[in-house]
Amino acid sequence: MSSTGVVYDQRHELHKCLWDETFPENPERLFAVCDRLKNRGLFERTTLIECKPATEEQILLCHPSSLLEKLKESRNAPDAEALENACKQFEEIYLTQDSFDCALLAVGGAIEAARAVATGKCRNAFAIIRPPGHHSYEANPNGFCIFNNIAIAAKQVVKEFDLKRVLIVDVDIHAPQGTLRSIADSEQILLISIHNYMGGAIWPFMKETNFDYDGNTINVPLNAPGLSDAEYLAAFQHFIIPIAIEYNPQLILVSAGFDAGLGDPLGGQKVTPACFGHLTRMLMGVAEGKVCLILEGGYFKASFIESAEMSLRALLGDPLPLLHIHQRLCPTFIESLRCCISHQAKRWKCCASTLNLLQQQQTASDSEIASMSLSIFVGQPIFEHFERIIRDRRCSTRNWFPRPRSPHSLGDVQLLSGRTSEMNAVLCVAFLLVVAFAVFLQPVNCSPVKGEWRMASKLSEGMVKKRSVYGPYKHLQGYAFMPKKSYGMWSHLPDSRREGFNFVDGGGFMKSDNENPSLFALPVQ
Ligand code: X5A
Ligand code: ZN
C-alpha cells in the first residue's frame, strides 16, 4: 500500500535574513518542525520524496521572466548591504546569494509532492519547504514569499496529468492574494481560503479577499481576533467541505500555514494544533484522500511544530486528540459565514440549500430574515501608501514588520522618521474614512462596527499602545480600528510575555497574566 510522502531538504536553510536575525520567517522554522517529526518517530513511517529545483519553464507558469532575471542578480551580490538595498523594490522580502536557488527548490518540492500524490505513488504528502509561496504573484514577490509554490505546483499537475479539477485550500491566516491572482486564469483550479480580513484593515489590504469576490476564489473573511477551533470547524463543516464535495476535485493541495494557531504573534487567532489535524482529516474525506499539504506560514514555534505533527498524524491515519468545544461561535464570525453562504448560493447548490435552511429557521423562530451585510473595505489608502513605499524604494525588509526591535537595530528606523506631506495626506484620508466608518455605519447591521470596535487612539490600554510600531505602520499607529476583544491580547506581546506556554497532545496550556491558568490540553481519543 502506498504511504505518506514527505519533502524535506536541508538546502532550504540557505534562505535567511542577513540583516535581521529576529525576522519571523527563518530557517529555524524548518529545523524545529523536522526535529519534532523525527523525535516522535514519524519520519520513519513516511517516504522521503526527493526534492529537485523547479525549472525556469515551471516558474513561468505563474511569473514573468523579468522576475527571474531580477532575482538571479542576487546570486552575484557583493555583500549583505547590496542585497538589502536590492530588496527595497519588494514588499517584505529578504534575499541572500542562495535565496534564488532555495526558492527554486521550494517550488520543486511542492511540485514533486503534488506529483507523487497525483500519480498515486504516495497516498498523500506533506511538503515541508520554505520560503513560503502563497503571497507571491506575477512580478511581485512579497510577504516572505518569493515564488508561488502552490500555484505553480497546481498548474504543473493540471498540465502534466490533464487534470480538470484541482482544489487549493488555504488555511494560512494571511489572505493568499498571490494564489488568488496566479490562478485567476485557470479554469481547472479552485481556491478556497479562510483568513483575517478585519473589514479590510489588515494586510494585504485587498478587497478581493472579502466574501463578495467572484471568480475561481472563494473567501471566508474573518473580522474578529481570538477565534478558535469552533469557528474553524464551523467554516469547514458548513461551507468549505460541502463546496469541496460538490466541486469533486481530483486532487487537493493545502496551503498549510499554521499562523492561525494559538499563540502565533502574527495571526491573533487561537486554533489548537489538534484542530489543524482534524481540518486535514476532513479534507481527506474528499478527492479519495488525495491531499497534499504544502507548508506556508507559522511563527510561534511551540505552537506550529505541534500543528505540523498533528497534520502529519492525520495524513498517517493516527488517532487525533478529541476537540472540546465549549464556546458559542463568535457573532462576528457567524455573520461572515452567513455572508459567504449567501454570496456563494448563486453558484453552489450546497450553499443554496444551507441558505434555504437558515431562512426557514429564521421564519420559524419569527425572526426577520437576515439580509447580506455590506461589504466593508477600509484598506485602500493603506494599500496605496504601501505601493508608494515600494515605488520610491523607501523601506527595506527590516522596517516593514511591526514588532518590538532589539536596540541595535533601532537606528535603522530613522530612515523613515519625519512625515512627508504625502504621508500626511494619507493619514487625513485614512482618518476621515475611519470617522465615516464609525459615525455613519454604526446603525447599519454590520458587525465589525457593532459594539465591538473602538478607536485605538482612545484606548487608555491596549495592544496598540503597548507595542512599538515601526516602518510603514509607524505613522498609521493610533488611527486604526482595533477590536475591543484584543485589549492586551497576549499573542501580540513580546515573546518574553508568553513564557509558561506549553503544548501537549495537540492542545496548549497558557499561564495568563493574573496567574489564572487557562487549560487547552486535550485528551487523546
Ligand atoms: C507566508 C506568511 C506573512 C506575511 C505578513 C506580511 N506571510 N505582513 O505567513
Ligand atoms: Zn501567513
Side-chain angles (χ1 to χ4, degrees), residues 92 132-135 143-145 172 174 203 259 266 296-299 401-402 473:
E92 271 185 296
H134 72 152
H135 295 308
F144 323 160
C145 303
D172 186 285
H174 300 98
W203 192 85
D259 42 14
L266 272 64
E296 300 280 0
Y299 307 99
F401 193 62
Y473 297 89

Side-chain angles (χ1 to χ4, degrees), residues 3 6 18 83 109 160 243 300 312 333 356 381:
S3 65
V6 169
L18 298 173
L83 285 161
E160 192 173 335
I243 293 178
F300 181 29
L312 183 58
F333 167 79
N356 198 350

Side-chain angles (χ1 to χ4, degrees), residues 110-137:
I111 291 176
E112 290 312 313
R115 262 197 190 132
V117 179
T119 56
K121 213 179 110 215
C122 292
R123 182 198 330 182
N124 47 39
F126 188 5
I128 307 171
I129 55 172
R130 62 178 286 280
H134 72 152
H135 295 308
S136 176
Y137 60 96

Side-chain angles (χ1 to χ4, degrees), residues 376-445:
I376 293 172
F377 176 60
V378 299
Q380 194 61 28
I382 310 180
F383 182 77
E384 285 165 13
H385 175 66
F386 278 21
E387 281 193 329
R388 275 192 296 272
I389 286 171
I390 301 163
R391 192 197 60 204
D392 304 342
R393 301 182 64 133
R394 235 188 283 165
C395 180
S396 71
T397 326
R398 73 174 90 198
N399 293 321
W400 275 106
F401 193 62
R403 77 209 139 94
R405 296 281 161 172
S406 53
H408 70 263
S409 66
L410 276 176
D412 303 290
V413 174
Q414 298 306 323
L415 273 177
L416 277 181
S417 61
R419 266 184 217 164
T420 62
S421 57
E422 207 174 40
M423 282 170 167
N424 278 331
V426 168
L427 279 178
C428 285
V429 175
F431 184 74
L432 284 177
L433 264 174
V434 160
V435 171
F437 188 54
V439 176
F440 298 114
L441 297 182
Q442 196 79 23
V444 180
N445 177 24

